Amino acid sequence: MNSLKRKDLLDIQSLTTEEINLICKNAKFFKEVFTRSVKSVPVLRGKTVCTLFYEPSTRTRLSFDLAAKRLSADLINVTVSTSSVVKGESLIDTVHTLEAMKADYIVMRHGAALAPHFLSQNIEASVINAGDGFHAHPTQALLDAYSILEKRGTLEGLRIGIVGDIQHSRVARSDIEVFKRLGAEVILCGPPTLVPDDFKVYGVDISYNLDDILPELDVINMLRIQRERQKSAFFPSIREYHRQFALNAKRLERCKQDIIIMHPGPMNRGVEMSNDVAESPNLIMNEQVTNGVAVRMAIFYLLAGGAPLEEMSEAK
Ligand code: CP
């Protein structure tokens, strides 16, 4: 198997475990391409990638752009805030415009859950979900899994804590699925208002006390407090949240020495973690960003039908 047998990449649930492993294996190859003097390969030559972001993004948008460029695709960016969407154009009409321009791939971020799924049913192009509402952020989850695999070789048997605003997090929902699929145990931690009991249906443990769980963790993923999605107060104050759930130097001392600290970004410095932890060598946030490019190159490549990697190795 050297391709994804699907048109779109919409969520982790629809991927087989074999496909997840295939994406990670290919990401390793594409990461090696970064170390060459010529970093581009001609996988998507003649193809057009369009990024269509209805919500702000730095990492995801830039890494899809760079991945497409490194695969030699033509790239169009639609910045919704400066497009005809602000004049009232509907999603379906925007899509028909992109279709008329013969886009082959549409990378979409939208505030509404399942918007990329709707798009995928109405367009021949491959649709890649770059984050939809609270629902899913599959490419973030795949790069998170890849980043752990790169450090540990396997996720089998690892205890992974996901801390913070689970309720509003598409990253948490996709991470839970991919981490468990690859054999890790997942424990969620945060205030009860942000870690609803319903999450137990995903087969995870839940704790409301960060200090209790720190010594058992191999990996800790500190999520951003998403104030823009919170419609009411979920904790008394940021100061109180920081006191109870932030990772700080004192708490880091109670963790395993080689704990992997992750953050999907963007980080609220001084909220999810203290400044000294943000400078800790255990934090792999920038490696996650680098791996994001490799994983997204692998996804484009595999959706394009793959090709023997040996041929790519010669394409310098
Ligand atoms: N991790 C993530 O999705 O970051 P951006 O919002 O900057 O894309």
Side-chain angles (χ1 to χ4, degrees), residues 53 55-63 109 130-131 137 139-140 143-144 170-171 224 228-229 263-266 285 288-289 296:
F53 277 56
E55 284 190 334
S57 168
T58 301
R59 279 145 285 269
T60 311
R61 167 79 170 266
L62 289 178
S63 67
R109 171 169 288 189
H137 196 346
T139 62
Q140 177 71 42
L143 78 87
D144 287 346
R170 54 194 174 208
V171 175
R224 182 171 70 89
E228 76 281 12
R229 294 195 202 278
H263 194 303
M285 196 172 165
Q288 287 173 263
V289 174
R296 288 163 179 135

Side-chain angles (χ1 to χ4, degrees), residues 246-266:
L247 196 55
N248 54 31
K250 200 163 156 224
R251 286 194 166 120
L252 189 55
E253 278 174 21
R254 303 191 55 247
C255 296
K256 290 182 182 170
Q257 212 172 3
D258 63 350
I259 190 168
I260 298 172
I261 307 171
M262 306 178 81
H263 194 303

Side-chain angles (χ1 to χ4, degrees), residues 165 167-168 191-194 229-237 241:
D165 183 357
Q167 166 76 5
H168 300 98
T193 45
L194 290 174
R229 294 195 202 278
Q230 296 174 4
K231 300 271 183 283
S232 56
F234 287 86
F235 43 83
S237 66
Y241 178 86

Side-chain angles (χ1 to χ4, degrees), residues 295-308:
V295 164
R296 288 163 179 135
M297 286 174 82
I299 289 167
F300 279 133
Y301 165 76
L302 292 168
L303 284 174

